[in-house]
Amino acid sequence: MDFESVELRRLLAALTERTRKGTISWEVAEYDPICFMTEMGVEFDGSETENFAQNIAFRCQLKTGRSIWLEAYESIGFPSFRGFPSPSAGPALRGLGFYIIRFHSPSGKVLYQSERIMIKREQQLLICLLCDAVFQNTEPYFLHLPHNNTAQFQKYLHHHDPGGGLENHPLSQLMKKFYRDNRCLEFHLLAVSCANGIKNGK
């Protein structure tokens, strides 16, 4: 069974609907606030670039004793070796969503696992809809977390551009606010939007 199988598609649709209705709920099992990651291939030319990223694992406990885990790694690209592109450059920023879903037996044994990189939302719509619902379901948890100190966040940006261009860029300022306030749902929606960007203005 993979992401394209009829069985999993039906299951994802059912999980999304039950999550939206509140008949099942999710908890945050692991959470890394927005940080900085290096990935290969985020730039269209294949160069290595830094990214704003968040990594969260969600867990849903079913009445049968089984559990479902949804791991979400999402990122938004920032500077390449050419520097931070201006908004007028078009779809300069790339988003990435990497999702793993696992089903566990009551004893914790992994019964099934599948993973998917989300490049175009319309091509992986069911897993995206489930992620949307799970982020919305757990948003109160993040909103009640204490604020993060942004000093290290700012220091990292300054390290990459001592002239202050990265620190003062509107996206950097937005990411700093997201980080400070644990605004994970908004980061998720923005990363998905960036991942659906177009190439070279086409």
Side-chain angles (χ1 to χ4, degrees):
M1 183 170 67
D2 58 28
F3 269 108
E4 305 305 324
S5 69
V6 174
E7 295 88 348
L8 186 56
R9 291 172 68 86
R10 288 175 177 169
L11 180 57
L12 291 177
L15 286 173
T16 301
E17 183 67 15
R18 294 177 66 188
T19 299
R20 285 176 171 170
K21 289 182 176 179
T23 56
I24 61 172
S25 60
W26 297 76
E27 62 182 25
V28 179
E30 299 175 10
Y31 170 47
D32 294 326
I34 296 171
C35 58
F36 304 95
M37 301 290 290
T38 301
E39 290 178 338
M40 181 65 73
V42 173
E43 292 294 308
F44 288 113
D45 62 6
S47 63
E48 193 172 89
T49 184
E50 297 293 317
N51 301 271
F52 299 107
Q54 70 176 5
N55 193 3
I56 307 174
F58 303 97
R59 178 176 176 268
C60 174
Q61 186 71 43
L62 302 177
K63 293 180 179 179
T64 60
R66 294 184 177 185
S67 61
I68 304 170
W69 289 72
L70 176 65
E71 297 177 21
Y73 167 76
E74 300 172 321
S75 66
I76 300 171
F78 72 100
S80 69
F81 61 90
R82 292 182 295 273
F84 210 145
S86 71
S88 63
L93 303 173
R94 289 295 309 277
L96 174 70
F98 177 64
Y99 305 106
I100 301 174
I101 190 165
R102 300 196 313 269
F103 298 87
H104 290 242
S105 70
S107 64
K109 179 182 178 181
V110 177
L111 302 174
Y112 167 77
Q113 175 173 315
S114 189
E115 55 191 52
R116 172 60 60 96
I117 294 177
M118 194 282 292
I119 300 174
K120 292 291 184 181
R121 185 179 175 90
E122 65 271 18
Q123 295 173 0
Q124 293 97 24
L125 186 58
L126 286 175
I127 188 64
C128 289
L129 290 175
L130 176 60
C131 286
D132 291 350
V134 171
F135 270 97
Q136 290 167 359
N137 182 267
T138 55
E139 187 178 23
Y141 169 84
F142 296 110
L143 294 178
H144 288 92
L145 290 176
H147 286 180
N148 297 308
N149 187 327
T150 62
Q152 286 296 110
F153 194 99
Q154 199 77 8
K155 182 179 178 181
Y156 193 94
L157 292 172
H158 183 75
H159 169 76
H160 279 272
D161 184 4
L166 289 179
E167 295 177 76
N168 298 320
H169 192 279
L171 181 65
S172 295
Q173 293 298 312
L174 180 63
M175 291 298 105
K176 185 170 72 170
K177 293 177 182 176
F178 281 9
Y179 170 74
R180 182 192 65 202
D181 301 333
N182 297 290
R183 290 159 62 179
C184 299
L185 172 61
E186 292 170 85
F187 186 97
H188 161 71
L189 295 174
L190 183 57
V192 170
S193 296
C194 290
N196 282 279
I198 55 177
K199 180 179 178 182
N200 296 331
K202 298 180 180 179

